[in-house]
Amino acid sequence: MSAPILSTHGLTKRFGGLLASDYLDFDVITGEVHAVIGPNGAGKTTLINQLIGELVPDGGRIEFEGRDITTLPSYRRSLLGLSRSYQITSVFPDFTALENVSLAAQAHDGHSFGLWRPVSREERLARPARAALEEVGLSTKNHTYAAELAHGEHRQLELAMALVSRPKVLLLDEPMAGMGRLESESMIKLLASLKRRYTIVLVEHDMDVVFALADRISVLVYGKTIACGSPSAIRASIEVKRAYLGERYASG
Amino acid sequence: MLLFPEAVSLRSPRVIAAALFILLLALVPPISDAIGESYYVTLVTRILIFGLAAAGLNLVLGYGGLVSFGHALYLGIGAYTVGILSFHGVSNGWIHLVVTIVLSALVSLLTGLVCMRTSGIAFIMITLAFAQMFYFLGISLKQYGGDDGLNIAQRSDFGPLISIQTNTGLYYFAFGVVATTLYLSWRFVHARFGRLLRGTKSNVRRMRVLGFPVLRYQVVAYVISGCLCGVAGLLLGNFAKFASPAYMYWTVSGDLIVMVILGGISTIMGPLVGAAVYVILETVLSGYTQHWMVILGPIIVFIALMANRGLYGLFLAREAPGSRNSVS
Amino acid sequence: MGGWALRRQAAHVGERRPDPAFFLLFGKSMTWNLLVIQALNGLQYGVLLFLLAAGLTLVLGVMNFVNLAHGSLYMLGAYIAAAVFARSNSFILAGLAAVLGTLLIGAIIERTTLRTFYARGHLDQVLATFGLILFFNEAVRIIWGQSPVYMAAPDAFSGTIDLLGSSYPSYRVLVIVVGLMMGGGLYLLIHHTRVGMLIRAGATNAQMVSVLGVDIQFLNTLLFGLGAAMAGLSGMMAAPIFAVQPGMGDNVLIAIIVVIVIGGIGSVRGAFYGALIVGVVDTVGRIYLPLLLRQVAERTIADAAGPALASMLIYLFMAVVLAVRPQGLFPARR
């Protein structure tokens, strides 16, 4: 097996008395879809936040392509090839969909000290932006302001912004959050089309999607992986059942 | 048209209003001559000067979302550069200009680097504190007048081609500087840097995750903004033939913020419109009573309450109702 | 422009700017005396700053509200105290009037005007409270005029007492004692009462407090009123020492901003230590820095740069703290 492209070793994060990441070991192999599931509050988003650099861990190590990135600021990680989408939509409401994605492309296209040339006329940004919007199925809304898009379209825009830089690893935080059935179906098709073309870490609650797409699944409970393996292994795992059934009883 | 960074429709009321406004400004001296009231030239010169300072502030405040309560500091730098250099016999306007820009850049770079270590409330208060520090510095410069200020015997000498010794000459010089600045700002806002800045205002966290090293751009924007205010200060010193620590007093920074908001935050013409309304308001009110500030205070509270888009911004609201906060 | 210049010049008339040369004339025997007196002056100034900074830091940290008008409440406290004292000649009555008066005024402006701005961004808050400052400064000018108003220290405290071998005005000792007592009282309030617990919780997580079912609006008004009352107390205690005049709150506001930044936003402990540091550094620095410069630099340079550097001292100190520890020296902990 090749070395993992992204991995954490003993990752620890505390919020006051709460241990959100408990000496967490996690790794991602190039080309796989690695899903992360677990009950609410298990620390899934905290893991993503630490991987991308928005949160500084209290202990442990994060490695990307063999290099220690634990203290690297998020913009450097992005330039190295890590990209994320947000669970709660985090786009730029005053820009159009095209401008949003073009901005994402701008970050990876050299410096931004341009003072004179209108950025809207820069084809080298507009072209990949249009392509990304096409890929997620949002081309008809290129010139709509992000504030006016529907919720499902927001999720598509999130994905387009994460994709446009052709990242090495995509961190998707509940891409289907809050979507209705129809919107979910298109999103599932879209995610399926990304499989094999991108290395993906997928945090999701929808089990159908997870089991359909994932090559490996890690189950997170109280900041620790209690199981990690193929979908069939996870399905059969007793610890996982205990974690979920127990959770269901506890929440009444 | 290649001169315009965005599509400009000659049928849009906003464009017509902006064009008329600029035309009116260009014609103030001859109109003023015709009606025999030279007072208007000096009044509108003040508007131009503060409009320039407000435009500088708007770059970081309006477009960048950084609430700096210390920009009056750069007015002082510009005015004192003219004052101190003239005091020592250097009256060459170009030297005044270069020194002003270099000093403004240096001060804004140093204070910017320190201030940018914080955000939100802390940032506002620290910019306020630093500006006041320079106010006290100005007062303690006894050899340059201290709190009595420094008289400037003669206006800057910009050579045989440009003379600002007369009020009309200074007016057109200021007008030229303001017009150039507004045009360059217009280009800036639509270019990569401008878009980056607008992005940081709306969602700085995402900007970093996208791959932008936000801090360096914020500092550079802050430096540009400081330099523009410095140039406004140079014009102010020349206008009043006087440099005073009072130019750096923190309430002047507050006045600049009011102008930006009143005119329309993150619009190009807004700061100038805001400066015009504010200066005229002040002039009219102080004509009624010496206690005009007791009326101005509540008016400012009212502006804070109501002025979501500013006066010029209202034009934009009608034009692009979908976008809450579009540009230019 | 003349109007502005006059406004500004009047504003700092009340500042203490002693001439270092005066002390040099009296030679070495005065040195210990001088140090003690200046240190006590610094302590007294620091205590006044603390009363103001504590209220403001809580409003900033818990309510996330930029209240620039805090200095105006200080000024109103001083004016109310001076006015009541002039009529009644009773220091106690003046004090009560000042504290209750500012509490009332603070509560009123919070409920009527400022409340609308909680949901707005900091920019709007800055603007609104800026407008209030202009309003209050002019309002007191209309009522009491531009010239400083006089208020005497109470008779019981108009003498001096002996402290550490020096003779020190007893009124200033009173100020120090009252300030330290308030500090103690505030500590008890915050760490040993239910209200204090809510305030501490709010300082670290304001949303959580409202989720707990606490009437957040009432808590806000209470907090704001408490800050206003302390500002009024500070103003009243300062009235016999500093000149009571329009704009007196402006410079003090800048000073407490420095205090809060050094101490840490939202931290009353930080406000306490920060205020003492700023008070002592500023007071002692103004005397000793010019003297120090004379030892190392040529006289004309020292005389020019001395006062300039001295007045910039606390800001430079703030800049260093920011560079090294941007969250402040004693940041608000859980």
Side-chain angles (χ1 to χ4, degrees), chain B residues 71-277:
Chain B
H71 264 59
L73 151 64
Y74 303 102
L75 284 177
I77 290 180
Y80 270 98
T81 300
V82 178
I84 293 177
L85 286 176
S86 300
F87 185 82
H88 290 287
V90 179
S91 61
N92 184 322
W94 300 108
I95 296 182
H96 291 174
L97 188 61
V98 169
V99 174
T100 296
I101 291 178
V102 168
L103 275 180
S104 303
L106 207 62
V107 171
S108 54
L109 181 64
L110 291 173
T111 53
L113 284 171
V114 175
C115 294
M116 300 287 178
R117 290 179 69 75
T118 65
S119 57
I121 292 183
F123 181 81
I124 300 172
M125 304 205 303
I126 291 160
T127 51
L128 175 49
F130 274 134
Q132 197 66 352
M133 172 175 90
F134 279 89
Y135 167 72
F136 287 125
L137 182 64
I139 291 179
S140 57
L141 291 175
K142 293 282 182 278
Q143 61 276 50
Y144 298 121
D147 43 316
D148 291 327
L150 181 64
N151 275 315
I152 299 172
Q154 204 200 3
R155 289 182 177 160
S156 306
D157 178 11
F158 282 97
L161 295 172
I162 303 171
S163 167
I164 62 171
Q165 306 307 321
T166 64
N167 284 341
T168 306
L170 177 63
Y171 181 90
Y172 278 117
F173 185 67
F175 178 77
V177 172
V178 171
T180 312
T181 301
L182 291 183
Y183 177 69
L184 291 175
S185 304
W186 192 23
R187 293 218 70 111
F188 172 89
V189 152
H190 287 274
R192 282 199 176 198
F193 199 157
R195 184 163 78 171
L196 187 158
L197 216 54
R198 285 185 286 138
T200 59
K201 179 183 183 185
S202 129
N203 191 343
V204 68
R205 190 181 159 213
R206 187 94 202 235
M207 290 297 286
R208 289 195 193 105
V209 166
L210 283 177
F212 289 109
V214 169
L215 182 66
R216 76 184 66 154
Y217 291 103
Q218 285 179 322
V219 171
V220 172
Y222 195 77
V223 168
I224 295 176
S225 156
C227 292
L228 284 172
C229 282
V231 174
L234 178 148
L235 290 173
L236 183 59
N238 273 297
F239 171 68
K241 291 170 83 166
F242 184 66
S244 162
Y247 296 169
M248 296 187 275
Y249 200 63
W250 66 302
T251 51
V252 180
S253 293
D255 292 333
L256 289 177
I257 296 181
V258 177
M259 290 179 205
V260 170
I261 297 198
L262 184 57
I265 212 170
S266 70
T267 64
I268 295 297
M269 293 297 298
L272 191 57
V273 170
V277 173

Side-chain angles (χ1 to χ4, degrees), chain B residues 20-91:
Chain B
L20 280 177
F21 185 56
I22 294 177
L23 189 64
L24 182 65
L25 286 176
L27 292 174
V28 162
I31 295 176
S32 173
D33 261 346
I35 61 177
E37 279 282 3
S38 64
Y39 167 73
Y40 288 114
V41 175
T42 47
L43 177 69
V44 186
T45 308
R46 268 184 68 204
I47 290 176
L48 287 173
I49 290 172
F50 283 99
L52 177 62
L57 176 61
N58 195 26
L59 275 185
V60 289
L61 174 65
Y63 291 107
L66 299 169
V67 184
S68 167
F69 209 106
H71 264 59
L73 151 64
Y74 303 102
L75 284 177
I77 290 180
Y80 270 98
T81 300
V82 178
I84 293 177
L85 286 176
S86 300
F87 185 82
H88 290 287
V90 179
S91 61

Side-chain angles (χ1 to χ4, degrees), chain A residues 54 90 102 109 112 121 148, chain B residues 4 192 195 203 205 217 322:
Chain A
E54 287 190 67
S90 178
S102 163
D109 189 71
S112 286
R121 291 194 206 135
E148 292 167 0
Chain B
F4 299 153
R192 282 199 176 198
R195 184 163 78 171
N203 191 343
R205 190 181 159 213
Y217 291 103

Side-chain angles (χ1 to χ4, degrees), chain B residues 50 61 67 69 114 117-118 120-122 124-126 128-130 132-133 135-137 139-140 142-143 147-148 246-247 249-252 254-255 257-258 261 265 282 290-294 296-298 300-301 304-305, chain C residues 1 4-5 7-9 11-12 15 17 60 64-66 68 113 116-117 120 122-124 126-128 130-135 138-139 142 250-251 253-254 257-258 261 265 304 308 311-312 315 318-319 322-323 326:
Chain B
F50 283 99
L61 174 65
V67 184
F69 209 106
V114 175
R117 290 179 69 75
T118 65
I121 292 183
I124 300 172
M125 304 205 303
I126 291 160
L128 175 49
F130 274 134
Q132 197 66 352
M133 172 175 90
Y135 167 72
F136 287 125
L137 182 64
I139 291 179
S140 57
K142 293 282 182 278
Q143 61 276 50
D147 43 316
D148 291 327
Y247 296 169
Y249 200 63
W250 66 302
T251 51
V252 180
D255 292 333
I257 296 181
V258 177
I261 297 198
I265 212 170
E282 221 188 67
Q290 59 161 332
H291 296 295
W292 53 279
M293 285 219 281
V294 84
L296 185 66
I300 291 177
V301 178
L305 200 58
Chain C
M1 277 312 293
W4 272 345
R7 258 202 267 157
R8 307 305 181 268
Q9 284 166 15
H12 64 267
E15 267 177 34
R17 275 181 289 155
L60 291 174
N64 200 23
F65 181 76
V66 186
L68 296 180
T113 318
T116 4
F117 288 95
R120 304 288 202 96
H122 294 144
L123 179 57
D124 291 338
V126 159
L127 213 56
F130 173 64
L132 283 179
I133 295 174
L134 297 184
F135 172 74
E138 200 60 38
I142 292 175
D250 300 350
N251 285 328
L253 177 70
I254 308 285
I257 283 177
V258 174
V261 169
I265 295 180
S311 56
M312 285 170 58
Y315 302 102
M318 179 185 79
L322 275 173

Side-chain angles (χ1 to χ4, degrees), chain C residues 100-187:
Chain C
L100 289 174
T102 47
L103 175 64
L104 200 64
I105 295 176
I108 290 176
I109 56 176
E110 195 268 340
R111 288 194 77 105
T112 57
T113 318
L114 299 179
R115 186 163 283 195
T116 4
F117 288 95
Y118 290 157
R120 304 288 202 96
H122 294 144
L123 179 57
D124 291 338
Q125 295 166 3
V126 159
L127 213 56
T129 50
F130 173 64
L132 283 179
I133 295 174
L134 297 184
F135 172 74
F136 282 124
N137 276 343
E138 200 60 38
V140 304
R141 194 173 283 125
I142 292 175
I143 301 175
W144 286 288
Q146 175 65 41
S147 320
V149 169
Y150 171 74
M151 175 166 164
D155 285 329
F157 291 93
S158 50
T160 63
I161 68 174
D162 273 322
L163 268 179
L164 300 173
S166 311
S167 175
Y168 195 64
S170 51
Y171 179 71
R172 292 183 182 232
V173 176
L174 175 69
V175 170
I176 294 174
V177 169
V178 169
L180 292 175
M181 274 172 50
M182 280 301 302
L186 208 60
Y187 173 81

Side-chain angles (χ1 to χ4, degrees), chain A residues 37-99:
Chain A
I37 64 174
N40 277 324
K44 306 189 291 295
T45 300
T46 307
L47 171 62
I48 303 274
N49 284 341
Q50 288 175 91
L51 288 174
I52 198 69
E54 287 190 67
L55 225 51
V56 179
D58 295 317
R61 220 169 63 243
I62 303 173
E63 280 177 4
F64 181 65
E65 292 187 318
R67 172 183 170 164
D68 189 337
I69 63 166
T70 320
T71 51
L72 216 58
S74 14
Y75 80 88
R76 298 279 297 279
R77 299 190 202 196
S78 174
L79 293 172
L80 284 176
L82 273 172
S83 180
R84 87 166 283 181
S85 75
Y86 285 83
Q87 176 191 351
I88 300 174
T89 302
S90 178
V91 298
F92 300 95
D94 302 324
F95 291 166
T96 63
L98 183 61
E99 284 170 344

